[in-house]
Amino acid sequence: MANTKYIFVTGGVTSSLGKGIIAASLAKLLQARGYRVTIQKFDPYINVDPGTLNPYEHGECFVTEDGAETDLDLGHYERFLNVHTSQANNVTTGRVYQSVIEKERRGEFLGKTVQVIPHITNEIKERIQILGKTGEYDIVITEIGGTVGDIESLPYIESVRQLLWDLGEHNGIVIHLTLVPYLAATGELKTKPTQHSVKTLMESGIQADILVCRTEHELSDDLRYKLALFCNVKREAVIQSIDVPTIYDVPNVMLLEGLDKVALKKLDLPCKNEPDLTQWNTFLQRYKNPKHRVKIGLVGKYVELQDAYKSILEAFIHAGAANEVRVDVESIHSEHLNEENIEAKLGHLDAVLVAPGFGGRGIEGKIKAIEYVRKHNIPFLGICLGMQMAVIEFARHVAGLKDANSTEMNEQTPYPVISLMESQKEITHKGGTMRLGAWNCELTKGSKIYEAYGKKDISERHRHRYEFNNDYKEQLEKAGLQCSGINPDTGLVEVVELPNHPWFVGVQYHPEYKSTVANPHPLFVAFVKAALNNKLKKN
């Protein structure tokens, strides 16, 4: 197919309506019809990427294979499509302005006054089309972050308007996601917020082609007709997106509503075959009809906001379905863990995961949790900082290295078993300077980690500054800690485990980033299985 087609997803009325899930669901359906699809996210904040944002502000920072720190919606795109995203799939206002200012400094604008139009909008248009111009995709779906009417979103909306004009008829469409609220006092759904939202979009020169209406109650035919008439869209282009038990139900709901068919018709593309969602629905069936339940503790310091550990929670869903097990995740704030309450907080759990993070807050609570699960033979998985805390706990309480620590927490520690990587020592900037993206790892045959993957050579994504200090490798191994995964290029330790424990594994990388519906991550699958075995043994 010569021309790449573009679909833009905008949001109205309120934020957090689920543009990312709608975009991912539509992409899934188009992919299942045989089209090559990718999704990108354009965010209106001035940070260059989400890497420096507090998880409380923005949820987790998702990392791609090529080492881009991106919005958590890219995690949804990968989990739904089972296709890797990249640096090009997430763009922020900060990155756009940075690029334009650098061009101005180099003299590329030949003395012209640099303005939002055309210079910023041209940069946005260029970046929207980067993936489309590779020839690898038939359809590119672009999610515009924020809500229509926001000041910071205006350059993006204007860029979309210009691009639709540039592309010509049937080459680009706009899907507008809005809220149809229910007023309990009068017992009715109200269309006025959607009408205003569409009007705001039209004031910027864009006519929505499809309306996706988020609602808690069914939209009547009369209501759909009213929305179509007042918002100037076809009746079949009013799509209901009703609340569902899980985000993984949304592709099926959108299929029933005909979202993919309407989009293809507007883009003048054939519907091809009916979408084959067999594998997807098998996953859903297993997820919704578990044979067992396990309780896994998630020990972290951002637990108040579920989105801070989004990929981990989704990886549990995938791995749970693979094991036909419902994983009930119990969030435990590491700052509140102490000697007095540790038994009450962890004693009843089937397994414990100690989560990634940065900084010294809540660290001692994580170490206490790891000591407890090590002594009580409770299956344990430590990710990134969680793995580092497992090394510190072992060094302190088994290897006899009292006051062992990470130089991140205590630069003066007598036993820096975790320390700053050499490559990080001269770095002063925080953004995008960590060890990021996919790195190779060689696993030791016969180890728990090798059993989980079933192969020796793996590649996993990283996001950290501090590493296992190889000066202590021999001493810790002599005390019983197995370093069962090594980076072949750097010699750095990627995986530690305890051979004499039922299931105790710590990994420096982030396995959760690569878990998808089609390919549940093998490490999470093995961990959930260990949790189930532990539960069955107790019973």
Side-chain angles (χ1 to χ4, degrees):
M1 195 169 78
N3 288 341
T4 301
K5 308 270 187 172
Y6 292 86
I7 298 173
F8 300 96
V9 180
T10 60
V13 184
T14 176
S15 59
S16 302
L17 289 180
K19 290 192 297 293
I21 301 298
I22 291 296
S25 299
L26 174 58
K28 181 74 210 165
L29 296 177
L30 296 173
Q31 185 191 57
R33 283 189 184 273
Y35 287 99
R36 299 171 303 157
V37 190
T38 190
I39 322 175
Q40 52 192 9
K41 173 85 182 274
F42 280 61
D43 263 316
Y45 51 76
I46 296 172
N47 302 65
V48 172
D49 59 45
T52 55
L53 285 173
N54 187 322
Y56 285 133
E57 294 252 342
H58 203 74
E60 79 170 6
C61 172
F62 185 81
V63 177
T64 59
E65 284 284 293
D66 64 349
E69 293 177 288
T70 69
D71 184 81
L72 59 78
D73 272 325
L74 268 72
H76 289 311
Y77 305 163
E78 289 203 8
R79 287 188 283 273
F80 275 58
L81 296 183
N82 199 38
V83 172
H84 291 155
T85 53
S86 70
Q87 186 82 55
N89 291 75
N90 191 201
V91 176
T92 67
T93 294
R95 195 174 291 282
V96 169
Y97 272 80
Q98 186 183 49
S99 177
V100 170
I101 289 166
E102 282 171 1
K103 285 177 183 175
E104 186 273 333
R105 292 288 81 188
R106 290 196 299 269
E108 287 185 28
F109 298 120
L110 303 172
K112 287 191 178 351
T113 304
V114 180
Q115 295 174 293
V116 173
I117 302 172
H119 302 101
I120 296 297
T121 51
N122 282 351
E123 182 75 21
I124 292 169
K125 282 157 64 179
E126 214 174 279
R127 284 173 180 265
I128 287 172
Q129 295 176 92
I130 284 174
L131 291 166
K133 286 177 177 175
T134 62
E136 290 174 26
Y137 304 105
D138 304 319
I139 301 167
V140 174
I141 300 176
T142 305
E143 179 192 344
I144 306 294
T147 307
V148 167
D150 294 347
I151 288 173
E152 57 264 35
S153 296
L154 288 174
Y156 291 100
I157 299 299
E158 170 59 17
S159 301
V160 170
R161 184 197 69 76
Q162 289 181 22
L163 196 53
L164 290 168
W165 188 84
D166 293 341
L167 292 167
E169 211 176 352
H170 302 305
N171 289 320
I173 60 169
V174 174
I175 296 173
H176 192 54
L177 177 65
T178 78
L179 178 70
V180 178
Y182 178 76
L183 288 190
T186 57
E188 57 184 342
L189 290 161
K190 305 304 286 184
T191 64
K192 192 61 73 179
T194 295
Q195 292 175 46
H196 279 299
S197 185
V198 170
K199 185 183 173 189
T200 304
L201 197 58
M202 289 178 80
E203 284 169 359
S204 300
I206 294 176
Q207 167 65 53
D209 296 285
I210 299 171
L211 283 185
V212 177
C213 304
R214 288 284 285 114
T215 174
E216 295 172 18
H217 300 270
E218 293 279 341
L219 300 181
S220 66
D221 282 342
D222 287 349
L223 213 65
R224 289 184 192 230
Y225 178 77
K226 183 180 177 182
L227 281 164
L229 180 67
F230 282 48
C231 298
N232 202 27
V233 298
K234 291 269 175 28
R235 166 64 187 73
E236 70 266 22
V238 178
I239 305 290
Q240 171 182 284
S241 176
I242 200 160
D243 290 359
V244 286
T246 166
I247 57 169
Y248 297 108
D249 283 320
V250 179
N252 283 317
V253 173
M254 291 302 103
L255 180 63
L256 287 172
E257 285 287 311
L259 175 60
D260 54 327
K261 280 185 176 173
V262 176
L264 289 169
K265 187 178 172 185
K266 298 253 176 212
L267 291 169
D268 198 23
L269 289 172
C271 276
K272 294 189 178 181
N273 50 297
E274 275 302 300
D276 180 9
L277 295 175
T278 311
Q279 187 185 18
W280 187 271
N281 289 324
T282 301
F283 153 76
L284 264 177
Q285 175 71 15
R286 291 168 76 100
Y287 171 59
K288 290 183 174 182
N289 302 284
K291 292 178 178 171
H292 301 278
R293 289 181 95 107
V294 295
K295 192 161 281 202
I296 297 181
L298 174 62
V299 179
K301 52 184 178 177
Y302 310 115
V303 293
E304 297 93 333
L305 184 70
Q306 291 290 291
D307 275 359
Y309 302 116
K310 193 67 183 166
S311 291
I312 290 174
L313 297 175
E314 298 306 313
F316 275 137
I317 288 173
H318 309 151
N323 282 292
E324 293 185 272
V325 170
R326 169 63 56 88
V327 179
D328 295 323
V329 178
E330 202 166 296
S331 296
I332 300 158
H333 203 302
S334 59
E335 248 188 317
H336 305 152
L337 273 178
N338 53 51
E339 290 291 349
E340 287 71 50
N341 65 14
I342 193 115
E343 174 72 40
K345 297 266 190 188
L346 305 184
H348 61 290
L349 298 170
D350 301 311
V352 170
L353 183 147
V354 175
F358 293 93
R361 185 171 63 85
I363 288 310
E364 292 304 322
K366 288 188 175 187
I367 291 170
K368 276 194 170 52
I370 293 164
E371 182 182 18
Y372 183 88
V373 298
R374 177 178 60 78
K375 287 180 173 176
H376 291 82
N377 287 330
I378 297 170
F380 162 79
L381 176 59
I383 296 177
C384 198
L385 186 69
M387 171 268 204
Q388 295 177 0
M389 293 305 104
V391 172
I392 291 167
E393 191 281 323
F394 186 86
R396 285 183 189 178
H397 303 131
V398 182
L401 303 176
K402 192 174 178 288
D403 298 327
N405 214 327
S406 165
T407 53
E408 182 182 6
M409 321 310 166
N410 177 10
E411 287 186 11
Q412 264 56 61
T413 174
Y415 304 112
V417 290
I418 304 292
S419 62
L420 196 60
M421 298 156 59
E422 283 301 317
S423 61
Q424 295 287 325
K425 286 182 178 171
E426 304 304 316
I427 289 173
T428 53
H429 284 182
K430 292 287 185 199
T433 55
M434 290 181 277
R435 182 176 168 203
L436 291 162
W439 291 70
N440 294 330
C441 179
E442 282 182 5
L443 306 179
T444 306
K445 284 193 175 178
S447 62
K448 296 250 182 351
I449 194 87
Y450 182 88
E451 277 174 29
Y453 283 91
K455 58 184 179 180
K456 184 181 161 214
D457 297 306
I458 61 165
S459 168
E460 292 284 0
R461 300 179 196 176
H462 289 250
R463 183 175 185 249
H464 60 101
R465 277 194 177 82
Y466 293 81
E467 290 276 6
F468 183 102
N469 186 345
N470 274 345
D471 292 347
Y472 293 91
K473 184 168 178 270
E474 194 180 334
Q475 195 174 350
L476 292 173
E477 287 205 306
K478 265 187 189 162
L481 186 74
Q482 184 184 7
C483 298
S484 53
I486 307 287
N487 179 285
D489 305 312
T490 61
L492 291 166
V493 174
E494 299 274 12
V495 187
V496 297
E497 58 182 78
L498 294 177
N500 58 355
H501 188 284
W503 209 93
F504 188 105
V505 175
V507 294
Q508 181 60 79
Y509 51 80
H510 288 260
E512 70 274 20
Y513 291 147
K514 289 181 82 163
S515 188
T516 68
V517 168
N519 286 308
H521 197 284
L523 191 53
F524 275 87
V525 173
F527 180 50
V528 170
K529 191 176 179 184
L532 178 60
N533 290 341
N534 184 37
K535 180 179 180 168
L536 296 175
K537 192 176 74 186
K538 283 191 292 190
N539 293 344

